[in-house]
Each structure stands twice: as structure tokens, then as C-alpha cells.
Amino acid sequence: MTIDLEKLAAVPSPIPPRSAEVERGVADSVAYLGSDAALHSIERDPYWPKWNSPWWHMLLLHELGEARQIPSRTSAAMAARIDRLLHLFPIHPSDAPGADTQRDSACHCALGTMYPVLAACGIDVERTLPWVKPWFVRYQMADGGLNCDNTAYLQTGECPSSMVGTVAPLEAMLLGGAGASEQRAFATRAGGFLIDRALIHDSRTVHNAEERGAAVAWRALTFPRFYFYDVLRGLAALVRWAEATEQRLPEAAAATVVNALVERWPDGVVRVERQAHAGMTTILPTADRSPSPRAQASTFPLLDAVSRLGEPSEALTRQWSEARAGLLRLARAGRLVT
């Protein structure tokens, strides 16, 4: 299958205006992140609870292009608190004896999503968190993917990589270009993973059979992304990968997604089709670190305002426009190949 480049080039590139509700939501999140309550929440736990703690406010502001509004003391506190997490992904019980792996360790998609946020806040993340990029290299699987389920690394005879666990680390590793040799090798293999999956295919493994159900939803675009995957996010990462690494991009790897998006959004305006965050539960951090039951995850005004089904999405529309422009650049350079 090939991409209809004429149709692709003919799609307009409008940016939907922000509603007053979204603007109020941005101001509300910025105010919260500047509060002592936000700093106390980060100190107690940098990640939990979903979806209404500083982590998620910061991610969403970044996805909207508003990371510059995140107060510097908050982004600095987040970086410092992440640095106090385990600098490894526990796979065996002996890796971190006595640790609470859900509270004391990050996962690949968590680090992959927060890394660009901190960078956009002006933090030198490679200096402040020098262990994060080597982490991605260390836990890359044989097929170029990663998996945030630590038991996936104990499997023999199959490679149960995850699209969700791979795309955010790849985005982080592509910041500023392909980088050093280890970083470039990681990006090359992770890009190959997305190509092999053609952005739409699930894992064929027994261990990661759950992904087969999840993949049905990937073609419905979601916002905010947080750590979630959809085909536009994968396409944007793959186009960025091809440009940053100067690799050739096989049309067949992207054509199904690109042609479907051209047909679905002929006016260039992308609308929210899925709320991937809806219905989730969360851990509730406790002051004494005692176990807590999972509870229904809560939301916040900005999250509610930008995730309404059927509404035009400024961020998704911009990403689709940038991906189209990147594909056309690759085509002109002779690097979009059949």
C-alpha cells in the first residue's frame, strides 16, 4: 500500500481556536502547580494518584504546548523527586529487596512522558537525571520495544513488547536529534519496532495477549495522550524518527494510518474520538506509605475540557499537520520508499 501524496498535500492546516473553558482550565492547572499543595503532593508521591496530581497537570499542559507556564519550582521539585526513585526497573525480587515497586520505581512510559515535559520546562534533563536515557537502552527488548510489565522480561521463547511501553521512550530519545551512538541505536531499533507493527498491529505473544484487545481502540484518536497510544501518536513518532535518524521510511509502514486519517479528517481538523483515561482506578498515596485500596481515578477541569468526545482538538490537529508536513519532506528527500 502507498500513500496518496497529492491528497496528503491538499489537506488544509487550520488550528481550532481554544474555548474559554480550556483557557480557564489552563489557568486553573497553572495555579494549582504553583501551590504548596502541589509541592506536598510531589513530595509524597511524584506519580500517584491518577489523574489529578501534579504529574498529570504537567503532562497535559505540555501536550497543549504550555509547559512554559509550569512554575519552575514545581518542575525542579518533580525532577528531584523522580531522582529519588529507584534507578532501575525491578524484574527479579532481588533487584530491589523491600521496595514497593509501584511507589518506589518508575516505568518506561512514565519516564518517557515526563522527560520531554521537564526538558520543555528548561531543565537540563540529561544532567539532572543522567540515568534515564541509559534506562531505556537497558530495558529495550530484542525486537526494539519495551514493556512496563516487569514479568514480560522473564518470558522465554517470545518477546512480549508493548506499543504503550515503547512510544513514549522513543519520543524522549529523539529529543534534540538522534544523539550519541547508544541513543541512536536505541532509536533505530525502536523505529524498526513501529515499522514492523505498521503502527496498528498488536503483539502476537501469549504473555501480551491483552494488547490484542487494546489494539482495536488504537485507531480512535485520544486526548490527552498521557502514556496512551493511538495511531496518530505512533505516526508522529515514526516521522520524527525518520527525520532525526535520516532513515528511510517504508510507505507500507504508515500508509494504512495516513490514508485513513486523510479520509477521516479532510478539513484537517482532528476531533477527540476516545477517552483512554476514563474509568481507570488509581492508588491513593498514604502519608505512612501503608497499603491503600485502589479507588476511582478523578479528573480536573482542564482534563475534562480537552477530552470531550467529538470536540475539535487543538493538540491533535497540530500533530496531524506536523506529521503531514514531515511526510512530505521525507517524500521530497526521497526517503519515503516503497
Side-chain angles (χ1 to χ4, degrees):
M1 181 180 288
T2 59
I3 296 171
D4 189 328
L5 294 174
E6 287 190 9
K7 278 190 175 181
L8 186 71
V11 177
S13 298
I15 298 298
R18 280 188 186 173
S19 68
E21 183 185 12
V22 171
E23 293 287 8
R24 287 193 299 270
V26 169
D28 180 82
S29 286
V30 171
Y32 166 63
L33 290 173
S35 70
D36 290 342
L39 294 180
H40 291 323
S41 178
I42 291 170
E43 177 60 25
R44 184 174 58 181
D45 191 290
Y47 184 86
W48 302 101
K50 297 174 178 176
W51 305 102
N52 194 4
S53 69
W55 186 282
W56 311 103
H57 287 260
M58 291 174 70
L59 258 60
L60 182 45
L61 286 171
H62 175 63
E63 290 189 67
L64 290 172
E66 298 292 350
R68 66 185 183 280
Q69 293 203 56
I70 296 172
S72 58
R73 70 170 187 161
T74 307
S75 57
M78 180 63 76
R81 185 63 180 84
I82 290 173
D83 198 35
R84 286 163 46 198
L85 296 173
L86 293 170
H87 291 192
L88 54 82
F89 184 61
I91 295 173
H92 304 277
S94 59
D95 289 342
D100 181 335
T101 57
Q102 287 193 300
R103 302 185 190 195
D104 298 334
S105 176
C107 67
H108 316 318
C109 62
L111 292 175
T113 52
M114 185 52 73
Y115 196 104
V117 179
L118 296 176
C121 289
I123 290 176
D124 184 344
V125 193
E126 292 208 36
R127 181 182 62 81
T128 305
L129 300 172
W131 50 274
V132 172
K133 285 189 173 180
W135 166 304
F136 297 141
V137 174
R138 179 178 181 181
Y139 297 109
Q140 189 173 38
M141 293 179 143
D143 64 354
L146 300 93
N147 196 316
C148 292
D149 172 9
N150 49 13
T151 64
Y153 291 87
L154 302 175
Q155 305 307 305
T156 57
E158 63 178 16
C159 188
S161 295
S162 158
M163 291 289 269
V164 170
T166 303
V167 68
L170 175 58
E171 290 167 346
M173 290 290 256
L174 290 174
L175 284 178
S181 58
E182 277 194 345
Q183 183 176 332
R184 178 176 287 273
F186 172 94
T188 297
R189 295 173 62 205
F193 170 81
L194 292 182
I195 289 171
D196 289 344
R197 294 281 195 96
L199 305 176
I200 57 173
H201 298 308
D202 54 80
S203 173
R204 295 285 91 190
T205 62
V206 173
H207 183 80
N208 198 14
E210 183 180 341
E211 192 175 74
R212 286 195 276 286
V216 175
W218 290 345
R219 300 189 194 213
L221 306 187
T222 187
F223 194 81
R225 261 43 174 287
F226 294 148
Y227 55 78
F228 299 110
Y229 179 79
D230 66 33
V231 294
L232 176 56
R233 183 176 191 170
L235 174 67
L238 192 55
V239 170
R240 198 157 60 231
W241 166 84
E243 294 202 292
T245 63
E246 300 184 341
Q247 299 278 342
R248 297 190 299 175
L249 176 59
E251 279 191 73
T256 297
V257 169
V258 172
N259 293 338
L261 292 177
V262 168
E263 292 299 319
R264 194 145 82 244
W265 313 115
D267 62 354
V269 177
V270 179
R271 296 174 182 270
V272 178
E273 299 177 302
R274 176 167 57 106
Q275 291 180 330
H277 66 280
M280 295 281 190
T281 60
T282 181
I283 289 173
L284 297 177
T286 55
D288 61 357
R289 291 177 52 84
S290 60
S292 66
R294 294 191 75 95
Q296 193 67 35
S298 62
T299 61
F300 53 95
L302 182 58
L303 174 53
D304 293 336
V306 299
S307 64
R308 290 200 175 91
L309 296 177
E311 288 296 308
S313 171
E314 171 196 349
L316 295 182
T317 298
R318 182 177 286 109
Q319 187 176 58
W320 174 220
S321 178
E322 291 171 354
R324 293 197 311 274
L327 285 165
L328 293 171
R329 286 192 297 270
L330 289 171
R332 289 193 294 270
R335 300 216 318 273
L336 190 62
V337 297
T338 56

